[in-house]
Amino acid sequence: MDKIAYCGHHCTYCFYPECPGCRSDNPFCSYATLFSDRKCPNVTCCLERGLDGCYECAELAACEIGFYSTDEQVAKATALFIQQYGKACYQTTLERAIQNGANYPHAFNALGDVGLMLALLERYR
Ligand code: SF4
Ligand code: SF4
């Protein structure tokens, strides 16, 4: 199963390993569980638009739907990275970043700016 989430997060490195991923048959992302129907707005929006993920959306950069309205802006940065370089490059780049000591996702979120987060990931491309 594809571990790259609709929002751009990478489920392999999630702090919540009990969740099998938001593309699984039994997803329980901690963010999605905040909603009464347990459905993540980003997943719902992607499915309604027929998109593989938010990285395929022309409105991504300015989007504030669901997870993009939280402090976890690393998801927006990684989705923008995928939009520019593709999922395979994201996979290898994130692996390289973590192998080189980048504390994903915390060190990215701590930057507080999507552009800076994107630039940090691009350093390992
Ligand atoms: S916030 Fe939504 S899209 Fe992102 S990992 Fe969680 S369920 Fe998936
Ligand atoms: S509008 Fe926002 S939540 Fe919906 S697919 Fe586009 S980027 Fe994702």
Side-chain angles (χ1 to χ4, degrees), residues 20-115:
C22 68
R23 294 182 194 273
S24 73
D25 292 337
N26 183 30
F28 45 96
C29 171
S30 57
Y31 179 68
T33 59
L34 296 176
F35 298 86
S36 55
D37 60 2
R38 299 169 70 91
K39 289 197 171 124
C40 169
N42 300 78
V43 174
T44 302
C45 190
C46 283
L47 294 176
E48 284 173 357
R49 292 169 180 239
L51 302 178
D52 184 61
C54 291
Y55 38 82
E56 288 187 342
C57 180
E59 294 162 37
L60 171 62
C63 180
E64 294 185 350
I65 290 175
F67 203 52
Y68 295 151
S69 66
T70 73
D71 290 339
E72 299 259 341
Q73 288 295 305
V74 65
K76 170 79 74 75
T78 53
L80 286 167
F81 184 95
I82 296 168
Q83 197 164 67
Q84 201 167 340
Y85 304 109
K87 286 169 89 175
C89 182
Y90 171 47
Q91 178 74 42
T92 53
T93 301
L94 186 58
E95 273 172 19
R96 195 174 300 121
I98 291 168
Q99 280 163 8
N100 282 278
N103 185 7
Y104 169 85
H106 309 293
F108 289 83
N109 282 321
L111 292 170
D113 178 271
V114 171

